[in-house]
Structure formats: C-alpha cells, structure tokens
Amino acid sequence: MTGTQIQTKKRVFIKTYGCQMNVYDSDRMADALASDGYEPTDSVESADLVLLNTCHIREKAAEKVYSELGRIRVMKEEAARQGRQVTVGVTGCVAQAEGPEIARRAPVVDLVVGPQSYQHLPKLLREVAEGRRAVETEFAIAEKFEQLPAATRAQTRSRGVTAFLTIQEGCDKFCTFCVVPYTRGAEVSRPAEKIVEEAARMAEAGVREVTLLGQNVNAWHGVGSDGREWGLGELLFRLAEIPGLDRLRYTTSHPRDMDDALIAAHRDLPALMPYLHLPVQSGADRILAAMNRKHKAADYLRLIDRIRDARPDIALSSDFIVGFPGETDADFEATMKLIETVGYAAAYSFKYSPRPGTPAANRDGQVAEALMQERLLRLQKLVLDQQTAFNRSKVGTVMDVLFEKPGKRPGQLMGRSPFLQAVQVDADQSRIGTIGRVSISGLGANSLFGELVEIPGRPVAAPIPTEVAS
Ligand code: SAH
Ligand code: SF4
Ligand code: F3S
C-alpha cells in the first residue's frame, strides 16, 4: 500500500473456552479494550489482537489451546508477510496455571494474563508494542473488579436480554481433583452495592434476566444495605426489587453453602427461577471423602428434600465425575442410585482427568480409560432418559417464556422456560426481550416447541421496552 494510509480502528478477536465466568470476563476485556481503541471482530483473520481466554479444568480443555495456537501461528506469519502485525495473548486459567511456560511452548504468544489481572491489559499491550513479551499472573481480584470499566449501555444492549454477572470469584474448597483454587485463587466476594449497581445498569439497558456467577456463588457474602451481613439469599431479595429485572438465576453452587435464607429465596421469590445446578460429583461416600467434598451422599439427598419442600417444581442439575482414583464398581453404582433417587432435569458428566499439582493426580487406583468410558456412557444414558422425561412432562402445560433471539427457522424465536429449557415459538422479532405465555405442544431433540397463548385480562406479552425493540 502506498500514499496516505487511513488509520483504521484496531480489531480484537476473543475466543472463550470453559465456564460462564470466562464468558463474563471476555466481555469485560472487550469493554476495557474498547476504551483503548479496539473494536470487536468475529473473524480471527482480520484481528490485530487475538486473545484466547482459556480453561484448565480437564486435560482436553488445556490441549485445545495449544492446537489453536498452532493455527494462529500460521495466520500471524501470513499477516507479517503482508506487513501487518498481529498480537497474540493467552488469558484465563491456562495462563494462570502455566504462566511463562506458555510462551516457551508456543513462541507465537506475546502476552500471558491470568484471570485476576485483566485490568492491566491496556498497559501490558503497550509493553508488547514496545517489543517486550508480557506475563502477568498476580492475584488481585478486588482491584480487577474495581478497575475494569463497567460496560456501557450500548455494549450491554448488544449482548442481548440475558446477562451474566460475576459476584464472587475463587475457591477455598480444594476438592482433590480440581485446579480452580490454584487458577482463580482464594474466594473473594464483590461488595453488595457494586453488584446491585451493575444489575440495575443492566436492567436499565434492557436486560431481563441476570445469572449471578461464581465458582462457589452461594459462598458469596457481604455487608448489605441494612448494615447486616448478607448471604446470597438476602442479595437475591434485594436484586429482585430492581425494576425490569424479571428473572434471576445463579450458578455454580456448592451443597455445603446452601443456607436457609437461600432456600427461603426459592420459596418466596417469584423472580428466582426454579432451576438449580447443585453438583454432587459422586454418590459414594468413600469417593466423596477422597474428593474432599466434605459431605456424604445422604446429606445431599436431605438438602434436595429441603429445597423441594421449598419449591416443589424446581428443576435440578448436577456435575458428575466418573473414574475418580479408587472408584470401584460399587461406588459407581452408588452414583447411579443417587441419580435415580434425585431425578435430574439435566446433568454434565466427565471422565476424571488428572490435573498437574492437584492431590488426586498422583494417587493409586487410577481407573482405566475403557472402564471410565463404559461408566460415562451408562451414566449419560440414565441422565438423558431423565432429561427427556422432564422435558416431556412439560408438554401440554403453559409456561412463561423469555424470548432471547431468533429461533431455528425463519419466523421463530428462541426463548427459555423458567426451567432453562430452550423453547421455539412462532413469534415476531419485536417480542425479543419480552416474556410470553406459551402453550408447550411438542418435544424436539434439543428444545421444546410451543404457541403463544392469550390469557384473558393479560396481554399476550409484556409491553415491549422501546430500547429493546428498536
Ligand atoms: N465449583 C463447582 C465446579 C467447577 S468445575 C463445584 O464445586 O461443583 C466444573 C466441573 O468440572 C466440576 O463440577 C467437575 O464435575 C468437573 N471437573 C473439575 N475438575 C475435574 C477433573 N480433574 N476431571 C474431570 N472433571 C473435572
Ligand atoms: Fe473445584 Fe471443588 Fe472449588 Fe468446585 S468447590 S471449584 S470443584 S475445588
Ligand atoms: Fe475452566 Fe477456569 Fe472456568 S479452569 S471451568 S475457565 S474457572
């Protein structure tokens, strides 16, 4: 290119792996970079800055990052031949766990930033521009939330009518299989007033449903507006007062942190959706002890009973690990029995993956891959049957559906039921961001189908806020 070159905006491509906390962080990074002159792009080829926001939870998740870096290296070299410089950064839990090792293994990487240092991104990018390689893996969670810029109204609106909001980060539980306490650091709760402010800003920008996030979200605690110590239950009551915020959810919870106030919130708070992800991991007491979960299977079942007493229709989901070191056939059968007893609406299950630096990784009794695979398939079949039965039980009922985005086919919208089921409905685009009454008529592979219904005395859908409809 010759002559006058037009200075265009720099473009950032962020690829997100892992849990919802990374999704939230990726958005915060995009917001921080926007004030530094970067606009987001969906095409990695056109990006000046590529960030991989990574996950370290299982071996496969971490290895994916290195194969992606291989592809990005080819692209970066091609761009360099055309005289364009591309900066490559690794953020998230692999960045925290491996630090400078990443740049040694993948020299294409210019920048490594752990999950608690994103507030330093603009500064680190300047270092890279000066020709240095930047690595930052400090634990500074309070600073992160204070110093990262809040999303603007336009940024929030561009992300739709449902939003994640991180209220707690880190973990002190040290389950013996898990890297999170090492990658995310100690448990820290954000102050209540900051959370309420952010949720109110989201609602004002057109968000109808907020999912509160934390590695142990129900370990959240803080001083409330009444000067008292609050837990998640009290915080939910406060958030439910925010005008326009119709729906609240939270994830992920630990069974040991489900207190009375939180269970009461499920009984008394219509805005708190009847869906709870409460991972138990295993149904065998000896495995739960070896995992350091600090409760027995019976404790979990008693807790489920209390939650169902408070909210009988609640949909439950869990995570399960099969093949934890020492898991016998009898232990696995205990897990299957627990699943049968609870009856889940959904569940996520994984083969145990030894993680470097965690206590279980070097234990005797590692379970053979083939046996893990066999157990996983049996467990997944049971869970799928339960999920299908749960979804089928809603056919013929009428449910509130929050319309989120265009559906699978033209003229359809995709919405979510209170139980987090995807529902496809023939409805006009202008209904996005509204809650409609939907009569559920059928069951597909991944979603329910339904029709909007009129209820006497109630409009088909809530009035459409103009900022969402436009
Ligand atoms: N804080 C949550 C879990 C976060 S990690 C909790 O305590 O339940 C998400 C899930 O990944 C875990 O629930 C667990 O089922 C799975 N997981 C974590 N480490 C794992 C490992 N080493 N191998 C296989 N699955 C793992
Ligand atoms: Fe990992 Fe256990 Fe903490 Fe969950 S509670 S993040 S599984 S250490
Ligand atoms: Fe993965 Fe880190 Fe989340 S390891 S699951 S991205 S906390």
Side-chain angles (χ1 to χ4, degrees):
M1 213 193 263
T2 55
T4 50
Q5 211 172 1
I6 299 163
Q7 184 65 39
T8 52
K9 266 200 152 187
K10 292 170 286 181
R11 280 181 285 232
V12 55
F13 173 88
I14 307 181
K15 180 157 181 171
T16 309
Y17 302 82
C19 62
Q20 293 103 324
M21 313 234 357
N22 267 6
V23 176
Y24 178 83
D25 282 346
S26 290
D27 287 347
R28 289 288 75 72
M29 283 192 268
D31 298 341
L33 290 165
S35 28
D36 221 36
Y38 283 91
E39 64 182 23
T41 172
D42 290 337
S43 115
V44 63
E45 287 80 12
S46 70
D48 305 289
L49 170 62
V50 177
L51 294 178
L52 302 184
N53 194 12
T54 61
C55 174
H56 203 243
I57 202 82
R58 285 171 289 275
E59 192 183 354
K60 259 194 197 150
E63 282 310 311
K64 264 192 213 159
V65 176
Y66 286 101
S67 43
E68 185 67 23
L69 284 171
R71 283 190 287 275
I72 290 170
R73 181 174 60 87
V74 176
M75 216 194 62
K76 179 171 171 164
E77 285 166 359
E78 178 58 31
R81 273 193 288 280
Q82 296 167 9
R84 201 164 59 82
Q85 203 198 326
V86 177
T87 302
V88 178
V90 174
T91 65
C93 290
V94 176
Q96 188 65 43
E98 300 193 359
E101 187 54 36
I102 299 176
R104 268 195 286 278
R105 193 171 152 189
V108 64
V109 173
D110 305 292
L111 176 76
V112 177
V113 196
Q116 300 200 5
S117 303
Y118 299 148
Q119 68 280 14
H120 298 142
L121 255 180
K123 178 193 83 173
L124 296 167
L125 282 168
R126 282 192 291 279
E127 287 179 23
V128 172
E130 286 160 13
R132 273 178 284 167
R133 181 172 270 161
V135 177
E136 172 75 76
T137 51
E138 289 301 302
F139 282 127
I141 192 76
E143 243 186 69
K144 166 183 171 180
F145 285 118
E146 249 169 66
Q147 294 178 5
L148 275 173
T152 63
R153 196 164 187 271
Q155 284 164 337
T156 302
R157 273 176 55 176
S158 72
R159 294 179 184 134
V161 299
T162 63
F164 293 133
L165 200 175
T166 295
I167 65 166
Q168 179 278 344
E169 204 165 321
C171 182
D172 299 338
K173 300 273 190 298
F174 291 93
C175 301
T176 53
F177 53 81
C178 183
V179 291
V180 171
Y182 312 97
T183 64
R184 294 273 174 171
E187 275 177 12
V188 176
S189 296
R190 290 179 71 188
E193 76 270 13
K194 299 273 181 214
I195 297 166
V196 173
E197 262 170 45
E198 189 168 338
R201 267 200 312 274
M202 287 174 165
E204 200 271 328
V207 168
R208 291 284 162 269
E209 174 181 301
V210 165
T211 302
L212 306 177
L213 299 180
Q215 266 90 25
N216 279 300
V217 71
N218 56 346
W220 181 89
H221 60 97
V223 178
S225 48
D226 57 5
R228 293 201 201 150
E229 181 72 12
W230 281 5
L232 181 59
E234 288 85 359
L235 180 67
L236 284 162
F237 275 94
R238 174 66 190 88
L239 292 171
E241 292 169 6
I242 295 174
L245 210 52
D246 300 313
R247 291 179 159 196
L248 296 167
R249 302 181 186 275
Y250 61 92
T251 198
T252 291
S253 306
H254 195 288
R256 284 177 55 87
D257 292 320
M258 286 303 295
D259 64 11
D260 291 343
L262 186 50
I263 295 175
H266 279 286
R267 185 189 58 217
D268 299 333
L269 212 50
L272 181 56
M273 291 294 102
Y275 182 99
L276 176 63
H277 183 60
L278 194 61
V280 64
Q281 315 295 353
S282 168
D285 286 344
R286 31 184 306 279
I287 296 297
L288 287 169
M291 286 175 163
N292 194 30
R293 294 291 289 184
K294 298 200 177 87
H295 67 78
K296 298 197 156 125
D299 299 324
Y300 180 82
L301 293 174
R302 264 195 302 275
L303 181 58
I304 297 290
D305 284 343
R306 283 171 56 214
I307 295 164
R308 280 189 165 142
D309 281 346
R311 183 74 211 229
D313 64 345
I314 198 159
L316 294 165
S317 72
S318 174
D319 294 338
F320 294 96
I321 295 177
V322 300
F324 184 83
E327 188 187 69
T328 62
D329 285 342
D331 295 329
F332 175 68
E333 295 310 330
T335 301
M336 294 290 276
K337 185 155 172 280
L338 178 139
I339 297 173
E340 269 161 22
T341 307
V342 174
Y344 287 99
Y348 306 86
S349 46
F350 314 97
K351 285 186 270 191
Y352 170 68
S353 169
R355 306 307 293 131
T358 60
N362 303 318
R363 284 196 185 156
D364 293 341
Q366 300 287 329
V367 176
E369 171 66 27
L371 186 54
M372 280 203 271
Q373 182 65 22
E374 192 187 307
R375 287 178 184 168
L376 186 72
L377 289 179
R378 270 189 62 204
L379 189 153
Q380 288 183 338
K381 172 155 188 336
L382 176 59
V383 164
L384 184 64
D385 288 348
Q386 292 191 343
Q387 183 174 344
T388 309
F390 177 77
N391 288 339
R392 186 168 293 129
S393 74
K394 301 299 172 198
V395 175
T397 68
V398 174
M399 290 197 280
D400 278 346
V401 171
L402 170 61
F403 295 116
E404 293 182 12
K405 56 183 182 191
K408 281 189 184 150
R409 286 191 281 108
Q412 269 187 343
L413 294 184
M414 194 289 288
R416 296 252 172 212
S417 78
F419 309 104
L420 207 61
Q421 297 150 300
V423 188
Q424 307 285 334
V425 180
D426 285 332
D428 190 77
Q429 296 272 337
S430 62
R431 288 193 188 278
I432 291 176
T434 70
I435 295 173
R437 298 289 290 168
V438 172
S439 168
I440 304 298
S441 52
L443 174 66
N446 301 309
S447 39
L448 297 169
F449 299 98
E451 289 85 42
L452 271 169
V453 290
E454 304 265 5
I455 300 281
R458 185 180 158 168
V460 170
I464 301 159
T466 45
E467 67 272 15
V468 177
S470 62

